Amino acid sequence: MHAHLRATRRTPGALTLLLPTLLAACTAGQPATPPTAAASDPAPAEVDAARDELAALAAAARDRHLTARYTLTGTDGPARDVTVTRAEDGTWRVDVPAGALGGTADVSLATTADGLFQCGLPSAGRPQAASCVRLGDRDDAVPRQLDPRVQHPFTDWLEVLTDRRTPLAVSPATAPPGVAGSCYAVETTSASLNPPLDVGIYCYQPDGTPTYVRAALGALTLAGPPGPAPATAPLAGPVVVAEPLGLDAPSPSDSPSAGTP
């Protein structure tokens, strides 16, 4: 009886000693406290910052009025000089050497107050004088079968880059040697048969001057300091009623000399 009482009196002390051990055993198997959100914030914050920076630069590019020359490389054939004009009144013109007839004809794409035009320029594949064909209204897209794509980085793709609703992933990129400005890698984040722009690298100076674009169309590099912009973008020649020049080389049956002995 006395032994039992003595054991009962010792029980509270024993429990006191056992509690820390039991608590440690219960918590030993639990996973560590997950890291706070701050530990994973830098990458998303950097991506958001890059998206905002690029949108601001693209907006500046939309307001930038200039005449500039770019070197186009990375396509079939030698390097070509592309001339870009963004006029004070918002009209534009982009001259694309070897931009039609399988690379044998030079073309110019332009908008004026009267609409969207393609102009054939004198070249090896088209020796006659420059003339222009109306393709549609000023805000219409160039038909796919006529589209050399070189004009997009200076026209409608700027609107895509400024629209935060467009599903794009943007991250900082290293500028190629000799290229000034800030560069960004751009990818689309949704599967589409008609993506809003080409994925690639886009570089801009702080004033919105595009300095480099590398995309499916090739690489466009600013070839020198931009010049002043005209009041409005001039067409390369008179407007005529004719068929525009397609991208593909004409077949032998389309040649004026076809069937001639």
Side-chain angles (χ1 to χ4, degrees):
M1 176 70 177
H2 292 294
H4 177 71
L5 290 174
R6 285 196 299 271
T8 304
R9 291 191 189 102
R10 288 198 299 268
T11 300
L15 289 174
T16 303
L17 294 172
L18 286 172
L19 279 174
T21 304
L22 292 172
L23 289 172
C26 290
T27 58
Q30 294 180 359
T33 302
T36 61
S40 59
D41 280 347
E46 182 179 1
V47 170
D48 285 344
R51 183 72 176 94
D52 290 340
E53 292 168 8
L54 179 57
L57 290 170
R62 291 179 66 181
D63 295 333
R64 182 78 166 93
H65 306 300
L66 52 75
T67 299
R69 183 170 57 87
Y70 290 82
T71 302
L72 176 62
T73 57
T75 59
D76 294 337
R80 296 173 274 166
D81 286 340
V82 173
T83 303
V84 176
T85 300
R86 289 187 57 90
E88 296 288 347
D89 64 354
T91 59
W92 56 265
R93 171 177 161 179
V94 178
D95 292 358
V96 187
L101 300 183
T104 62
D106 302 346
V107 292
S108 173
L109 293 169
T111 60
T112 71
D114 296 324
L116 171 68
F117 295 87
Q118 183 210 64
C119 302
L121 306 177
S123 54
R126 186 186 179 280
Q128 57 265 48
S131 61
C132 303
V133 177
R134 189 177 187 275
L135 301 180
D137 294 334
R138 179 169 170 172
D139 295 330
D140 287 346
V142 177
R144 184 184 298 272
Q145 68 272 18
L146 308 175
D147 191 358
R149 300 184 62 77
V150 180
Q151 78 283 358
H152 291 296
F154 310 101
T155 57
D156 56 304
W157 287 358
L158 295 177
E159 299 178 14
V160 175
L161 293 174
T162 58
D163 187 353
R164 290 303 305 268
R165 297 169 298 178
T166 305
L168 299 178
V170 179
S171 57
T174 302
V179 172
S182 301
C183 297
Y184 302 87
V186 178
E187 297 182 1
T188 56
T189 57
S190 66
S192 173
L193 295 177
N194 296 302
L197 82 174
D198 282 357
V199 301
I201 304 296
Y202 294 78
C203 304
Y204 298 89
Q205 290 180 333
D207 64 357
T209 301
T211 57
Y212 179 81
V213 174
R214 189 184 73 204
L217 57 87
L220 285 160
T221 306
L222 183 66
T232 190
L235 292 178
V239 179
V240 299
V241 178
E243 289 295 320
L245 303 178
L247 295 178
D248 298 333
S251 64
S253 60
D254 294 331
S255 171
S257 58
T260 302

